[in-house]
Amino acid sequence: MTAPTRPEAAAALRAGRPPLVLLAALVVMALMAGLFWTWDISVMPGLARLDDRTFVTTMQALDAAIDNTGFSLVLWGALVLTAVTTVIERRAGRRRAGRWIVAALVLYLAALMVTGAVHLPLNAAISAVDASAPAPVLARARAAFEGPWRAANPLRTAFCVVAVACLGRALALPRR
Amino acid sequence: MTGLAPVAAAAAPVAGAALGGLYLAFDLAVLPALARPAVRVGDREPSDRAAETMRAINVAIVRPSFLALLLATPALAVAAAALRPGPLTVAAAVLQLAGLAITVAVNVPLNDRLARDRDAAAWARFLGPWRHAHRVRTAAVIGAALLGATAGLDTSGTGAS
């Protein structure tokens, strides 16, 4: 048995290094999936049972009160961690893992695009409504909001769930 | 292949993080919105609307998919600890069981009381205790997911599984 050369030892050390960033990306991506899913199974079906004025005031309160620091940390954390781990795996020459992580990155970008294209404009529109307006105004505002918002949300949940699966697949590959 | 151990080791933190994300939505958005001192709109008190909204959300969430995640998460954490005992997997299982215990002992009874009570102070009695207990279970469940993921590092680094 011969001692490994210095570059060999360094390579072995690198290969054996635990994929910390990949694991962190997986956990934060699963957090995002759970966050979006809450709106599918609880918040929006619950609000569907409320009268128009309560619906509009609650959506306005949600838009105004959301903890943007905490939420941004998770939202951008998932993006940054996935992007960084793409670079790490590619540099390490693990091309198969790299492909799965790129797939996760693309899926997550799609979820963010749905958010930007559908949810943010709808939130802004309903927040601009005068909550003390007459009933027909509130009914119209709700009708324009609720259907598209609810239809698009399972998309971002699904994108995140499949991204979690892609990251899990990358993690399960043998690390050489 | 060592059978179920790697499956449980991977599934437990993923389920924990998904449940943690679900809880986080309440910490970061739903409760801050409902606790917000709102201006009186129309003929109803803001606290009355908040209570009605929380009741409706609580009714909506009781469904098989959520109950499956709620119960599978601690079950997977316990399975991961039993199949591969270690300080991290055991701590993750204990935290997941603590999260479930808080749900059963505090949040569910408070939900039931809010569903039943219709007096003006019902919302005030609900909000503080529920939110506090909810923060603790969110931290427990996300903490468990991080511990479980860290425990998975030992084996995923070698490719031996």
Side-chain angles (χ1 to χ4, degrees):
Chain A
M1 191 176 161
T2 53
T5 63
R6 201 174 285 252
E8 275 172 0
L13 194 68
R14 255 201 317 278
R17 188 189 289 163
L20 250 184
V21 186
L22 177 53
L23 261 166
L26 179 73
V27 169
V28 179
M29 193 64 79
L31 280 177
M32 279 309 299
L35 257 165
F36 286 144
W37 195 47
T38 309
W39 266 263
D40 291 322
I41 63 155
S42 182
V43 178
M44 298 313 288
L47 298 190
R49 306 157 63 100
L50 304 174
D51 63 88
D52 294 340
R53 199 177 302 277
T54 306
F55 182 93
V56 170
T57 52
T58 303
M59 282 316 309
Q60 291 180 339
L62 280 164
D63 198 38
I66 190 163
D67 177 350
N68 278 312
T69 314
F71 191 64
S72 301
L73 216 60
V74 183
L75 189 112
W76 297 115
L79 182 68
V80 170
L81 288 168
T82 308
V84 168
T85 198
T86 308
V87 176
I88 291 174
E89 297 295 303
R90 297 216 139 194
R91 282 210 181 142
R94 288 186 285 265
R95 289 180 181 280
R96 277 188 69 197
R99 277 199 290 273
W100 284 106
I101 299 165
V102 168
L105 187 63
V106 170
L107 285 161
Y108 189 59
L109 285 171
L112 294 182
M113 280 167 66
V114 171
T115 304
V118 180
H119 297 97
L120 295 183
L122 286 172
N123 290 351
I126 206 159
S127 289
V129 173
D130 175 9
S132 56
V137 175
L138 296 179
R140 267 200 306 279
R142 178 188 191 161
F145 176 94
E146 195 173 14
W149 204 107
R150 287 191 68 175
N153 199 62
L155 269 179
R156 26 181 208 173
T157 309
F159 283 142
C160 287
V161 168
V162 182
V164 166
C166 290
L167 293 173
R169 185 76 191 89
L171 199 60
L173 288 172
R175 301 182 69 75
R176 275 172 272 103
Chain B
M1 277 302 268
T2 48
L4 285 176
V7 176
V14 169
L19 184 62
L22 188 143
Y23 284 166
L24 210 53
F26 284 84
D27 287 300
L28 298 179
V30 178
L31 270 296
L34 297 183
R36 199 162 165 258
V39 283
R40 190 183 163 129
V41 177
D43 52 352
R44 296 173 66 194
E45 291 297 331
S47 64
D48 190 28
R49 287 191 200 279
E52 191 198 354
T53 304
M54 193 69 200
R55 283 184 199 113
I57 286 172
N58 280 336
V59 169
I61 202 169
V62 180
R63 57 177 71 203
S65 54
F66 171 68
L67 296 177
L69 181 66
L70 183 74
L71 298 175
T73 298
L76 283 166
V78 169
L83 292 167
R84 206 177 273 162
L88 293 172
T89 52
V90 169
V94 168
L95 281 176
Q96 288 295 1
L97 290 173
L100 184 64
I102 292 167
T103 300
V104 172
V106 184
N107 296 92
V108 170
L110 284 169
N111 288 343
D112 290 344
R113 218 170 301 158
L114 183 70
R116 197 181 54 230
D117 297 351
R118 301 287 155 154
D119 59 285
W123 178 245
R125 283 198 306 276
F126 172 88
L127 180 61
W130 197 96
R131 203 175 180 186
H132 185 69
H134 184 75
R135 281 196 185 117
V136 177
R137 64 173 172 168
T138 305
V141 164
I142 293 178
L146 292 172
L147 290 176
T150 312
L153 285 176
D154 298 340
T155 48
S156 61
T158 62
S161 56

